[in-house]
Amino acid sequence: MTSKSRSTEVAIVGAGVVGLSCAFELARRGKSVIVIEREEAGFGASTVAAGMLTPSFEVETTPPELVELQLDSLSRYPAFVLEIEAASGLSCGYRDEGTLWVSRHRDDELELEHIRKIQEDRGLPARRLTGRETRQIEPYLSPRIIGGLLVETDHQVNSRKLVPALAAACRNVGVELVERTAVRTVERTGGRIELTLHSPGDQTVLRSEQVLLAAGVWLEEGLVTPLPRIGMRPIKGQIVHLKGQLLVNHVLRNSDVYIVPRAGGELLLGATEEEQGFDMQPTAGGTLDLLRYAFEILPGLYDLYVSEIDVGLRPAVSDHQPVLGPTDSEGIFIAGGHYRGGVILAPATAHWMAELMTTGSVPEAIERFGVDRLIAQQQEAAG
């Protein structure tokens, strides 16, 4: 095995959508950046994500501070996509048709009205529709649909296009992307931070002035750092891909399932939520549930064919909110725990983390999401 040493201003551990977005922004601000990924860019959750840019997704249970961060990020998305596409020459598959929530019975109707009122209170516009109006927008919906809620400010991006475009954009602005290389240790030595990198037949010591940990579910799995554990864990999610006739233009949602259209007649049905550790095997039960729920609102999908069943691991901490900011170890930062929100929060995460790492001051927009809250929660639980 060969050994060598290198240095950089910023080392980013993890090449998911969050790590790559931060790398892109930091490089555009003049930093020299190396991104290290244990597999390949997007492995884990990023390329499995449905790509819905929907602050309305779980508005009732989402804290106001996180809704504000989502709205901030959504407002940045058009420029974010244009910059990535300009730097990479690749499409991100950005679409802005909106989300159409649908109801099948009175309980669904009560839920949609409840969601509409909550959105109105939080400044998120939504328009209630009758069953006829809903089916006029999407004619292939089941005749049993009795109402709808149209959220036109919700958009989407194709994560399978976004990640390669981000990776290419990063390289084109000077970021070095090192794939299939594991970071084993991160430790402070003297005035700099040292990372030990391992790849087949090679070991490298990378010295860096700053380190951003954006390793998703692997933040505390096989990675030794000077930081206290914060309880990062994987939440398994299965998504079914269908292909065939183009049935819908909007993202469809109800309380059980979402249906996301992509170019070429592809539909994504998602997503399960399972505490199964690092298991990434699709299951018959998960597939059956998604197909059954989707069929109830869009019966035409019966004639489509299953092209893929995909599994991703969402990174989550105890309160299911992101972890953004500095740590007690000088020069080491965290951008993780985005749970279901990695794609929508990528532009805001990149912007505010770059502000923090270039100015040294924690921006108010992410102050609420610091790692200290988790350590305080653990201390409170312990005693």
Side-chain angles (χ1 to χ4, degrees):
M1 176 179 287
T2 60
S3 298
K4 55 188 177 182
S5 63
R6 304 185 57 195
S7 63
T8 185
E9 285 185 88
V10 179
I12 297 180
V13 183
V17 66
V18 170
L20 290 173
S21 297
C22 291
F24 182 66
E25 183 63 25
L26 285 163
R28 293 198 311 145
R29 296 185 185 210
K31 295 281 190 178
S32 66
V33 182
I34 296 177
V35 180
I36 309 99
E37 168 56 46
R38 56 183 289 151
E39 298 290 343
E40 58 186 21
F43 180 83
S46 295
T47 54
V48 179
M52 296 182 296
L53 310 178
T54 56
S56 66
F57 187 65
E58 290 177 331
V59 70
E60 182 174 10
T61 57
T62 305
E65 298 90 347
L66 184 51
V67 173
E68 288 302 313
L69 189 62
Q70 290 173 339
L71 290 171
D72 173 39
S73 203
L74 183 62
S75 71
R76 298 178 187 278
Y77 239 101
F80 177 68
V81 166
L82 286 175
E83 289 161 358
I84 294 167
E85 291 181 340
S88 67
L90 301 173
S91 169
C92 296
Y94 183 74
R95 297 175 59 164
D96 61 2
E97 293 90 353
T99 297
L100 183 60
W101 292 69
V102 298
S103 59
R104 300 154 297 177
H105 43 66
R106 179 165 174 76
D107 286 347
D108 279 355
E109 281 285 279
L110 292 173
E111 181 182 13
L112 290 197
E113 184 58 23
H114 185 54
I115 293 170
R116 186 196 66 78
K117 288 179 180 178
I118 293 173
Q119 295 207 157
E120 186 178 82
D121 291 343
R122 295 193 174 181
L124 301 172
R127 180 161 56 97
R128 287 288 271 123
L129 304 170
T130 65
R132 176 176 292 183
E133 290 171 333
T134 305
R135 290 190 297 274
Q136 284 175 342
I137 293 174
E138 294 292 358
Y140 288 101
L141 284 170
S142 167
R144 296 183 179 181
I145 297 300
I146 63 172
L149 182 71
L150 181 61
V151 185
E152 295 180 295
T153 52
D154 286 352
H155 298 165
Q156 65 158 300
V157 68
N158 186 331
S159 60
R160 288 190 171 180
K161 291 185 176 182
L162 175 63
V163 170
L166 260 173
C170 282
R171 290 187 176 101
N172 288 341
V173 296
V175 174
E176 182 178 349
L177 177 55
V178 181
E179 297 177 286
R180 303 196 179 283
T181 298
V183 179
R184 297 287 175 80
T185 63
V186 177
E187 57 186 351
R188 173 164 286 285
T189 302
R192 305 195 84 180
I193 305 165
E194 289 190 354
L195 298 84
T196 305
L197 317 184
H198 283 260
S199 59
D202 184 68
Q203 176 175 299
T204 300
V205 173
L206 177 63
R207 295 180 177 86
S208 181
E209 296 173 14
Q210 296 178 314
V211 172
L212 176 60
L213 302 176
V217 297
W218 289 277
L219 179 69
E220 297 177 331
E221 182 72 17
L223 175 61
V224 178
T225 75
L227 309 179
R229 295 182 68 85
I230 59 174
M232 190 71 72
R233 72 189 196 280
I235 306 292
K236 179 180 178 179
Q238 302 183 53
I239 288 184
V240 177
H241 294 244
L242 305 177
K243 280 195 175 180
Q245 180 185 359
L246 179 63
L247 296 177
V248 294
N249 290 306
H250 295 77
V251 173
L252 301 180
R253 268 200 58 81
N254 67 8
S255 58
D256 296 318
V257 70
Y258 55 77
I259 303 174
V260 180
R262 286 186 175 171
E266 183 179 19
L267 289 181
L268 272 62
L269 313 181
T272 67
E273 186 162 334
E274 308 161 56
E275 297 269 6
Q276 297 288 338
F278 286 86
D279 171 45
M280 295 186 68
Q281 293 297 316
T283 64
T287 302
L288 178 63
D289 285 344
L290 293 174
L291 288 171
R292 174 164 54 90
Y293 294 141
F295 176 76
E296 289 176 357
I297 62 177
L298 192 67
L301 61 77
Y302 186 91
D303 295 318
L304 305 183
Y305 64 88
V306 177
S307 60
E308 187 177 350
I309 302 170
D310 213 354
V311 177
L313 300 175
R314 309 178 186 97
V317 292
S318 57
D319 60 9
H320 287 180
Q321 296 185 55
V323 186
L324 306 172
T327 69
D328 288 340
S329 187
E330 184 182 355
I332 301 179
F333 304 82
I334 293 180
H338 287 74
Y339 186 39
R340 291 179 169 181
V343 174
I344 186 174
L345 289 173
T349 297
H351 175 80
W352 296 118
M353 290 302 297
E355 285 284 303
L356 166 62
M357 295 173 70
T358 53
T359 68
S361 299
V362 179
E364 184 179 351
I366 62 171
E367 196 170 15
R368 165 68 180 77
F369 306 106
V371 69
D372 289 348
R373 78 180 194 273
L374 298 171
I375 298 172
Q377 289 170 11
Q378 291 172 358
Q379 291 172 344
E380 182 178 341

